[in-house]
Amino acid sequence: MPRPIVLPLAGALALLLAACAPPRPEAAKPSAAHAALDRRPEPGLTEKLRGDDYRDGNGVPQSYATARRWYWLAVDRGSSSAANNLAALFLDGLGVQQDVPQAIRLYRLAAAGGNSYAMANLGDLYRLGKGVQRDDAEAARWYQRAVDSEPNPVAANNLALLYENGRGVPQDLPKAIALYRSAAEAGNPVAMVNLGNLYAAGRGLAKDDKEAVEWYRRAAELGDATGERNLGLMYLEGRGVPQDLAEAARLLKLPQPTPR
């Protein structure tokens, strides 16, 4: 009873496939910027941060079950960010039996409290059809609410994905590009890769391999595996950068070429 809620070297073909790969969505997990927002005074903040500590093993033994108890205390005190984090535990069955309907109720509670990451998470559920009927138009509405609420690079990237492909909204490449760019400039590596793919393919803007390399490099420097792979392919083919097989092998996690 739910608790009531108060590469192998593949040449040009591989590069083309990578450059034209489908845009990637991103899970709406709080970013560093969001963590800073969490530290604004709000009801239940102390309990919510304690839950974060147990969820992440930050100075205490990692325990989802203990995190859940602290999050419930924070939710009872009116914390929307704790409701969002608690929803994620119910969604994935971490420290509690998986309960998607309960997760949705918590996300809605958090969204009603103005939490833009809960809005983005609801958008993800509608986009994926998880616990609700798949509805790209409803997903777009939740992403748009999140973007309108505050700068939210996760929601901006996922909304851009829908506009790029005309899912739930009319296809609008300029709008998709603007959203990808805003998310990328805010430091979102997934949006960086998606924007780099558009430059590499010349989709919706002038083809520009150097600009694609720049965005792939920025994503790779943030540890994004797809950014590293796409940057490695650019080095492999000498697109936007001088061909460098050693650098390509490093980025693609391949054996280094044997010197001749």
Side-chain angles (χ1 to χ4, degrees):
M1 176 71 66
R3 174 175 173 175
I5 299 173
V6 267
L7 118 117
L9 299 177
L13 178 59
L15 178 60
L16 179 61
L17 291 173
C20 299
R24 292 190 294 149
E26 184 176 9
K29 298 177 181 178
S31 62
H34 187 236
L37 290 173
D38 281 344
R39 285 164 174 77
R40 296 179 300 183
E42 69 166 8
L45 178 61
T46 299
E47 292 83 358
K48 180 265 176 186
L49 293 176
R50 193 60 173 160
D52 290 347
D53 288 339
Y54 277 100
R55 179 196 62 189
D56 301 332
N58 181 25
V60 292
Q62 195 274 337
S63 171
Y64 290 119
T66 306
R68 171 176 53 84
R69 291 193 288 273
W70 281 106
Y71 285 147
W72 270 125
L73 287 173
V75 170
D76 288 344
R77 286 161 173 72
S79 171
S80 62
S81 56
N84 177 67
N85 292 2
L86 181 59
L89 300 186
F90 277 103
L91 185 68
D92 296 329
L94 300 174
V96 65
Q97 184 175 353
Q98 186 180 42
D99 188 337
V100 176
Q102 178 74 315
I104 293 170
R105 287 190 287 270
L106 283 160
Y107 280 139
R108 290 190 182 279
L109 179 68
N115 187 284
S116 73
Y117 279 81
M119 298 172 194
N121 279 319
L122 283 168
D124 288 344
L125 295 182
Y126 278 103
R127 178 173 54 82
L128 299 171
K130 185 169 185 177
V132 293
Q133 184 174 354
R134 179 174 172 176
D135 187 335
D136 287 336
E138 187 67 10
R141 284 191 285 271
W142 279 110
Y143 291 145
Q144 188 65 60
R145 284 183 60 180
V147 169
D148 291 342
S149 174
E150 66 180 9
N152 186 317
V154 171
N157 175 78
N158 291 2
L159 182 58
L161 183 154
L162 297 182
Y163 274 108
E164 181 183 350
N165 294 283
R167 289 177 48 187
V169 290
Q171 187 178 47
D172 188 334
L173 286 178
K175 190 175 185 82
I177 291 166
L179 285 162
Y180 281 142
R181 192 178 301 279
S182 70
E185 289 176 350
N188 185 294
V190 176
M192 293 173 188
V193 171
N194 288 335
L195 186 58
N197 288 343
L198 295 182
Y199 275 110
R203 177 172 163 79
L205 37 68
K207 182 179 172 64
D208 189 332
D209 286 343
K210 289 185 178 180
E211 192 70 13
V213 164
E214 176 62 23
W215 286 112
Y216 292 152
R217 189 185 308 282
R218 288 177 62 174
E221 288 172 352
L222 292 174
D224 185 89
T226 305
E228 291 181 352
R229 177 177 179 274
N230 287 9
L231 181 60
L233 288 167
M234 299 300 266
Y235 274 106
L236 177 65
E237 298 296 329
R239 286 183 56 183
V241 288
Q243 187 179 50
D244 187 332
L245 298 183
E247 182 66 0
R250 183 185 73 81
L251 290 162
L252 296 170
K253 309 296 192 293
L254 299 174
Q256 289 289 324
T258 302
R260 293 184 178 180

